[in-house]
């Protein structure tokens, strides 16, 4: 095996990671590289054992430590909502951390006004330090 995970060590590492500031107070790690590159809204996540690492060919392996996730959800305007009104999307009960906003949606078939929720998170992958990477060097 080229990478090994002792399950008990992994569980202990996850517990330790969850006690760190990066998981308990992630806002302390917010960072703005520029106005277009903002690193905020961090959370700590675990990866399933099949996604903690993978090998890409003979000489490349990938061990993810963090990733950004963007999610857009579109919903029809609530019944009785007036397109263009400031509160057109306020009747949507589904949670959205960034607030529902009105958007004109278009496709090849039709165009309609919908409500959109755009959410972004930055995720730290916890438990990674429990891995053991095995390297072999051939002459």
């Amino acid at each position: 095996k080229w990478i090994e995970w002792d399950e008990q060590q992994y569980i202990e590492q996850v517990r330790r990671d969850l006690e760190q500031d990066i998981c308990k107070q992630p806002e302390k790690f917010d960072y703005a590289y520029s106005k277009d590159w903002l690193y905020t809204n961090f959370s700590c996540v675990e990866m399933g054992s099949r996604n903690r690492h993978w090998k890409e060919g003979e000489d490349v392996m990938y061990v993810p430590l963090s990733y950004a996730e963007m999610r857009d959800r579109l919903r029809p305007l609530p019944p009785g909502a007036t397109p263009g009104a400031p509160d057109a999307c306020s009747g949507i009960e589904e949670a959205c951390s960034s607030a529902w906003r009105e958007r004109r949606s278009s496709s090849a078939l039709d165009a309609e006004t919908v409500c959109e929720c755009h959410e972004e998170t930055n995720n730290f992958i916890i438990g990674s330090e429990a891995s053991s990477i095995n390297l072999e060097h051939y002459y």
Side-chain angles (χ1 to χ4, degrees), residues 62-74:
Y62 180 70
V63 180
L65 302 175
S66 68
Y67 65 95
E69 184 174 32
M70 289 173 248
R71 186 170 97 157
D72 292 307
R73 292 179 281 157
L74 299 178

Side-chain angles (χ1 to χ4, degrees), residues 107-124:
S107 69
L109 302 174
D110 62 78
E112 64 176 322
T113 302
V114 297
C115 295
E116 175 185 50
C117 176
H118 177 76
E119 296 173 306
E120 294 183 24
T121 58
N122 288 292
N123 301 295
F124 292 116

Side-chain angles (χ1 to χ4, degrees), residues 18-138:
L18 288 171
E19 292 300 315
Q20 300 297 316
D21 280 351
I22 204 157
C23 293
K24 290 180 123 185
Q25 297 177 305
E27 65 279 356
K28 287 174 58 174
F29 298 88
D30 287 355
Y31 175 71
Y33 178 77
S34 70
K35 68 180 181 80
D36 296 321
W37 292 90
L38 302 175
Y39 299 92
T40 60
N41 196 23
F42 286 98
S43 63
C44 289
V45 297
E46 281 187 76
M47 296 293 276
S49 61
R50 296 178 69 188
N51 295 320
R52 292 181 199 152
H53 59 273
W54 60 85
K55 195 171 181 181
E56 297 182 15
E58 288 296 311
D59 58 354
V60 177
M61 70 176 164
Y62 180 70
V63 180
L65 302 175
S66 68
Y67 65 95
E69 184 174 32
M70 289 173 248
R71 186 170 97 157
D72 292 307
R73 292 179 281 157
L74 299 178
R75 302 293 182 262
L77 280 175
T82 305
D87 63 347
C89 294
S90 64
I92 296 181
E93 295 179 14
E94 188 177 342
C96 176
S97 63
S98 64
W100 288 95
R101 68 174 192 255
E102 191 175 349
R103 182 182 122 182
R104 186 94 171 133
S105 176
S106 62
S107 69
L109 302 174
D110 62 78
E112 64 176 322
T113 302
V114 297
C115 295
E116 175 185 50
C117 176
H118 177 76
E119 296 173 306
E120 294 183 24
T121 58
N122 288 292
N123 301 295
F124 292 116
I125 299 170
I126 57 176
S128 298
E129 290 95 342
S131 65
S132 175
I133 298 173
N134 302 308
L135 303 173
E136 293 181 3
H137 179 68
Y138 295 100

